[in-house]
Structures are given as structure tokens and as C-alpha cells.
Amino acid sequence: MKREKLYTIVLMALTMLVSSCKEEPFVVPSFIHMDGMELKQSESNPPMPFSEIYTSDIVAMYVVVHIPGKGSEDTIGMFHLPFTAPIMYDGTLDYIKLFPAIEQSGSSKALPFYTFYNSRRKDGVTLHSGDTLDLGTDTTTYNLTSDDVLMYQIFESWEGTKFDSVMTLVSNAPDEARTGNGYGRVHVESGEASKDFCINESYTVTDPTKLLYLELDTRSDIPFEVYMHSSYREGGSEEKLPVMVVRASEGWEHLYINLGRTWSYFNHTSKFRISFSALNTESKEGDIRFDNVRLLTTSVVL
């Protein structure tokens, strides 16, 4: 008797499944392919006026589509570049949105949508079941105003330099620089266990809901640590907290360092500044190289 009831339940489940399949016929997926996305200088009112500083390392993309007749968007997913992603639709979409994602330096496996970059929207995209639409390599721009740029340094000259005298300018070296002709260098002797250098200026961002990032290109023979200096209370003495350790690298790397967690320990009405220190635990001689440094803040964009 129990076995007959079980057979009846299974038969009813299969009948419901077949009925649902008849109501929503299977659609052979279409595909979109993308090779990459690069940062470029916006054509009007760029937040930073020098094209050399627009370096980036966009490693993934969040894909969202809007199907005609639907009341809301469909999130397809996050995909590492380059990627080929399936979309269960045949026909012309209202639009595809592409949100650039980056590896957040110091946070293992974190791939946030980088709100400092504009998303890309492509209207009226036609997809065909079984076929792949090739989007190639696209471009994006900063979602910033000049007020969001607290500082930048491209190391093409020392005019208006933001770094202290420990860092020297290497000029007329296009084969060595990340972009342009120059970069900043801190030389560490084998007998120096550490060597400190800093950005000279202090900054204030009083809105605690804003995001705060340090972006830079670096190529370093020696690991170094990033620090933030501020006070825990208004009018208090300056304190120093570590942000992250950056490993040595043979080639240029672009870093996205989220200062928000460290910043949250300090009083948001107080000024803060950024410093660095070589960590020469192996007692080796080498250089720490910086290019295209920028300190950026912006509101959270969903």
C-alpha cells in the first residue's frame, strides 16, 4: 500500500513537471563574448587632465540585461575577463549593462563593482539562439568630478610634487616608466631594514559614507607597507595604522587599495595622510617604483 502511494506521488510530480515544461518551452541560449575593458580619459571635463594617468586593471564584469516586457532587470552574473556568457533569450533586448569589477588589493578574492568607473549600457542588442555576439574590448571612464580627486601624481616633473624628498624623480626613462617618460623611485640599501616615505599633504573627507581608494602603479624589488595617519577624536594627536603590505613584483602592477576600513577607525572630521615603508627583511638592495598615483573619493553607487 505504501509503495502504491509512493508511485502515485512520483507520477503526479512527473506530470506537473511535464506540464510546466509545456507552459515554458526550452529556449536555446544565446551568448555574448567580451575580451576586456579599458579605462580612458573622458572627452569632456576629465577629472584629471593627463591621459597618462588613466591606467587600470579591470579583471571581471557584472552583466545585467533587460528583456522587453519584463518589469525588472535580470542579473546574468559576474564573469572573469575574457568571458563567454549564456543568455536565455532569442531576440532584441532593451539593453545590456556591463559593470566593471576589479581585484581589491589586500582583500583575498574580493571582486567588487568599482563604483569609480562608469557602467556601459548597450541598447537594442539583438541575440540569436546558439550564436555568439562578440563585444570585443570596450572602454569606460571615471565616474568622478574633479572634486572627487584628492590628489594625483604622474611623475613627469616635480612641479607640484605630492611626495617627500625620500622619493626621487626618474625622468626621460620611457622604457622603465609605466606610462610617459618618468616615475618615482625610492632606493633601499642592503643595510636598511626599513625606509619611510610619504605623501606630503593631508586631506579631509567629512562624509563617512563615501568610498576612499588609493590607486597606483608599482614595480618593487622589496615589499612595502601602506599606512594611514589621523586622530581618533577631533583635536587628538595623530596616530598611525597599517593598511596593507604590498609584495615585491617583477613587472608593473595596478593596485586598488580600499582605505575605508582603516579610515573608519579614525574621526571623520580629522585630516588624514598616507605614508609607506620599505620592509627589507632579506637585507637586499633594491628600488620601490611608483607611477600614476591617485587618491580618490566618491559616493557609493548601486
Side-chain angles (χ1 to χ4, degrees), residues 148-223:
D148 297 320
V149 182
L150 302 181
M151 69 82 67
Y152 65 88
Q153 180 85 44
I154 60 173
F155 297 103
E156 295 304 304
S157 73
W158 274 130
E159 183 178 352
T161 181
K162 305 297 190 299
F163 281 82
D164 63 12
S165 59
V166 178
M167 178 172 283
T168 60
L169 172 66
V170 179
S171 58
N172 299 319
D175 294 337
E176 299 176 24
R178 170 64 179 84
T179 58
N181 294 307
Y183 64 92
R185 180 176 66 191
V186 172
H187 183 72
V188 182
E189 300 288 350
S190 60
E192 294 179 296
S194 64
K195 192 165 190 175
D196 300 335
F197 57 104
C198 69
I199 298 173
N200 272 326
E201 298 182 353
S202 296
Y203 307 93
T204 304
V205 180
T206 57
D207 185 351
T209 67
K210 285 198 168 187
L211 299 176
L212 183 64
Y213 270 80
L214 175 68
E215 279 192 59
L216 70 151
D217 294 305
T218 180
R219 181 165 66 91
S220 181
D221 304 320
I222 296 167

Side-chain angles (χ1 to χ4, degrees), residues 5-26:
K5 288 184 178 179
L6 178 61
Y7 287 156
T8 302
I9 293 172
V10 172
L11 181 60
M12 291 175 62
L14 289 173
T15 302
M16 293 174 64
L17 178 61
V18 171
S19 299
S20 65
C21 289
K22 288 181 179 178
E23 292 174 3
E24 298 183 10
F26 176 72

Side-chain angles (χ1 to χ4, degrees), residues 19-272:
S19 299
S20 65
C21 289
K22 288 181 179 178
E23 292 174 3
E24 298 183 10
F26 176 72
V27 177
V28 176
S30 307
F31 297 89
I32 59 170
H33 175 81
M34 191 169 196
D35 291 316
M37 181 169 279
E38 298 173 352
L39 178 67
K40 70 172 187 177
Q41 182 177 338
S42 56
E43 295 179 359
S44 60
N45 300 318
M48 290 164 281
F50 301 99
S51 59
E52 293 92 341
I53 205 166
Y54 291 86
T55 55
S56 64
D57 188 15
I58 299 169
V59 298
M61 202 69 55
Y62 288 88
V63 180
V64 172
V65 302
H66 192 275
I67 296 173
K70 294 196 68 172
S72 59
E73 298 175 333
D74 290 329
T75 300
I76 305 303
M78 188 274 289
F79 304 93
H80 285 262
L81 290 160
F83 69 85
T84 301
I87 299 177
M88 304 302 291
Y89 187 72
D90 178 86
T92 301
L93 296 167
D94 287 335
Y95 56 80
I96 295 177
K97 282 183 182 178
L98 303 166
F99 296 86
I102 53 95
E103 287 186 353
Q104 184 170 283
S105 304
S107 296
S108 178
K109 298 181 180 179
L111 287 171
F113 156 52
Y114 197 51
T115 189
F116 292 79
Y117 293 156
N118 284 304
S119 62
R120 295 286 284 144
R121 172 171 165 156
K122 299 179 182 296
D123 294 316
V125 176
T126 300
L127 303 175
H128 300 286
S129 291
D131 290 344
T132 301
L133 176 65
D134 191 351
L135 301 178
T137 298
D138 207 342
T139 58
T140 186
T141 55
Y142 268 123
N143 182 26
L144 299 173
T145 68
S146 57
D147 291 337
D148 297 320
V149 182
L150 302 181
M151 69 82 67
Y152 65 88
Q153 180 85 44
I154 60 173
F155 297 103
E156 295 304 304
S157 73
W158 274 130
E159 183 178 352
T161 181
K162 305 297 190 299
F163 281 82
D164 63 12
S165 59
V166 178
M167 178 172 283
T168 60
L169 172 66
V170 179
S171 58
N172 299 319
D175 294 337
E176 299 176 24
R178 170 64 179 84
T179 58
N181 294 307
Y183 64 92
R185 180 176 66 191
V186 172
H187 183 72
V188 182
E189 300 288 350
S190 60
E192 294 179 296
S194 64
K195 192 165 190 175
D196 300 335
F197 57 104
C198 69
I199 298 173
N200 272 326
E201 298 182 353
S202 296
Y203 307 93
T204 304
V205 180
T206 57
D207 185 351
T209 67
K210 285 198 168 187
L211 299 176
L212 183 64
Y213 270 80
L214 175 68
E215 279 192 59
L216 70 151
D217 294 305
T218 180
R219 181 165 66 91
S220 181
D221 304 320
I222 296 167
F224 62 90
E225 190 156 15
V226 183
Y227 293 94
M228 197 172 193
H229 304 247
S230 189
S231 58
Y232 295 129
R233 56 184 176 81
E234 189 172 0
S237 59
E238 183 183 84
E239 305 290 343
K240 174 182 176 182
L241 289 177
V243 178
M244 64 170 290
V245 174
V246 179
R247 68 183 186 279
S249 58
E250 293 184 1
W252 285 100
E253 293 185 340
H254 189 82
L255 303 183
Y256 298 90
I257 301 175
N258 187 349
L259 299 173
R261 178 172 294 182
T262 309
W263 187 36
S264 67
Y265 289 110
F266 294 119
N267 176 56
H268 279 96
T269 62
S270 300
K271 290 185 176 182
F272 67 86

